[in-house]
Amino acid sequence: MAISGIGRTFPKPSVGAVIVKDGLIISKAVTSSDGIHAEPQAIEMAGKNARDATLYVTLEPCNHYGRTPPCVDAVINAGIKKVVIANRDINPIAAGGIARLKKAGIRIVEKICYEEALEVNQAFFSRITRKRPYITAKIGTTLDGKIALANGHSKYITSPLARNYVQVLRSKSDGILVGVNTVINDDPELTCRLPGLEKNLAKIVLDTNHRTPAHSALIKNSRKESVLIFSGKHGKSGHAEVIKTPTNKHNNYVDLNFVLAKLSERGFDRLLVEGGGRIISNFLAEDLIDELQLIYSPKILGQNSLSFASELRLFKIPENKFTLVDERRLGEDILLIFKNKYSGLSR
């Protein structure tokens, strides 16, 4: 249930709840797109049958008033006798649910499917523990490691099936991040448009010198609140929100840690980076990529084309940090998924 809600619960974690009685599942729910928590939904569906039942839940039921009353109140009032919890809620605002449930005489079992649930909400835990989103970098590349022609044009390197897969990635993200060069050269809309997965996710542009055209497609075709431009200079770009951002003294580029901290403050858990060579190089140089998804196309662009790490400057061979966790075919393309072994997520 929690997996089904990934990318649909911003700014809340995706939580699944299942109520079982006499060996039968009597109700199940996931955090809704409008912010209603899973536990009260499942309890309402179960009705009187919730009494003396067992509740299985991805995350510790919350103990605070937000848009809705505390979930622990709903659990206690329903007469549930046992709660099985995969992960504790490490958000200090919401924590304390387990203590209240125990005080009410409800039996608690913890860490069932602990690792699996941690994987589902790794982005939520990233925001709470590291004060930054979980970052996935998507790179469509040729066999020779190129992502664009010499003039910067990069559309349609990969196959239609691979491009549909990217739409799925977007549907599971809270925002897409690109650099201003991608906006200028490709004029992308950065939408999620597969039938059934449509969503108006946020577009984030890194723009040191404030060059984002006000007439660009991603601004014209988006709601006002969904375009954020992080710029080293003051200015306006249509109805986009421009956030004045300090620059990194080493490369005169917008400070990525400042950008990620601001996004974290706004509730961003999952960030998809689809930038060009400079964006990817800067994220790699600062060790900010948690998951790398490489889509290899059976094309060759040659030596004058741009690579995905075209501006990465290293002075020694780095330790092997990315581990291959999955590989699959996407039509004529090949997808390789790597995870950063040292991303520092709390376990």
Side-chain angles (χ1 to χ4, degrees):
M1 292 303 295
I3 288 172
S4 72
I6 291 176
R8 300 282 170 178
T9 63
F10 175 84
K12 300 177 183 294
S14 182
V15 175
V18 177
I19 296 178
V20 174
K21 190 172 185 179
D22 299 328
L24 298 174
I25 293 175
I26 59 176
S27 67
K28 53 187 178 179
V30 63
T31 309
S32 69
S33 58
D34 57 356
I36 307 301
H37 291 196
E39 299 95 307
Q41 291 184 73
I43 288 169
E44 183 178 0
M45 283 186 275
K48 294 181 180 180
N49 289 324
R51 182 161 297 279
D52 295 327
T54 298
L55 167 67
Y56 293 83
V57 66
T58 312
L59 199 64
E60 175 183 1
C62 73
N63 185 40
H64 77 112
Y65 281 89
R67 182 172 179 180
T68 57
C71 288
V72 290
D73 289 351
V75 175
I76 293 170
N77 294 336
I80 286 173
K81 68 176 181 179
K82 176 180 171 184
V83 179
V84 180
I85 299 169
N87 294 152
R88 287 202 174 203
D89 192 339
I90 58 174
N91 185 349
I93 296 175
I98 288 176
R100 281 204 53 206
L101 294 173
K102 286 182 176 179
K103 188 175 180 179
I106 297 174
R107 182 187 171 198
I108 302 295
V109 178
E110 293 190 64
K111 293 193 173 183
I112 300 298
C113 294
Y114 173 81
E115 293 289 339
E116 293 89 339
L118 192 66
E119 183 81 8
V120 170
N121 276 312
Q122 58 190 340
F124 165 71
F125 289 111
S126 173
R127 176 165 60 86
I128 299 300
T129 62
R130 302 187 296 175
K131 308 301 180 187
R132 74 163 177 83
Y134 182 89
I135 297 168
T136 298
K138 184 279 300 180
I139 301 169
T141 179
T142 59
L143 290 179
D144 54 346
K146 305 300 183 180
I147 61 171
L149 297 172
N151 62 7
H153 184 75
S154 62
K155 279 189 175 182
Y156 308 136
I157 281 181
T158 54
S159 67
L161 184 58
R163 295 198 291 274
N164 282 343
Y165 172 76
V166 173
Q167 295 290 310
V168 175
L169 280 183
R170 291 179 179 182
S171 76
K172 295 180 178 180
S173 303
D174 298 327
I176 309 174
L177 184 146
V178 298
V180 65
N181 287 334
T182 296
V183 177
I184 292 172
N185 293 330
D186 292 345
D187 195 25
E189 291 189 43
L190 301 181
T191 56
C192 181
R193 54 189 177 272
L194 274 184
L197 295 179
E198 301 92 343
K199 61 181 290 189
N200 188 43
L201 72 172
K203 291 89 171 171
I204 298 104
V205 181
L206 303 189
D207 184 1
T208 304
N209 296 308
H210 201 89
R211 297 184 294 128
T212 303
H215 61 269
S216 59
L218 69 86
I219 293 178
K220 289 194 303 180
N221 299 330
S222 300
R223 296 185 312 202
K224 181 177 181 179
E225 67 273 17
S226 66
V227 182
L228 304 175
I229 298 175
F230 287 88
S231 176
K233 297 182 178 180
H234 287 292
K236 293 184 178 181
S237 291
H239 60 235
E241 179 182 354
V242 179
I243 300 173
K244 183 70 164 57
T245 307
T247 55
N248 188 314
K249 63 181 180 180
H250 299 297
N251 59 10
N252 196 35
Y253 198 67
V254 290
D255 187 322
L256 294 181
N257 288 294
F258 175 90
V259 171
L260 298 179
K262 287 296 182 184
L263 294 176
S264 176
E265 290 173 6
R266 295 182 180 221
F268 284 80
D269 286 345
R270 299 175 182 273
L271 186 64
L272 179 62
V273 175
E274 290 195 25
R278 188 176 189 188
I279 295 283
I280 299 298
S281 294
N282 286 334
F283 270 89
L284 284 171
E286 298 195 36
D287 195 23
L288 293 172
I289 295 177
D290 299 302
E291 189 172 315
L292 192 59
Q293 299 218 11
L294 293 177
I295 303 175
Y296 277 97
S297 167
K299 298 184 178 79
I300 300 231
L301 294 185
Q303 64 178 358
N304 291 326
S305 301
L306 306 178
S307 70
F308 66 80
S310 58
E311 301 197 30
L312 185 61
R313 299 289 183 266
L314 297 177
F315 300 96
K316 65 177 182 178
I317 297 176
E319 297 290 333
N320 181 18
K321 301 183 70 173
F322 286 99
T323 300
L324 180 66
V325 296
D326 195 8
E327 56 184 305
R328 66 188 76 162
R329 293 289 297 271
L330 296 174
E332 62 184 14
D333 300 333
I334 297 175
L335 168 67
L336 302 179
I337 302 177
F338 299 86
K339 287 199 174 182
N340 190 333
K341 293 191 295 184
Y342 306 107
S343 63
L345 286 176
S346 173
R347 304 188 80 81

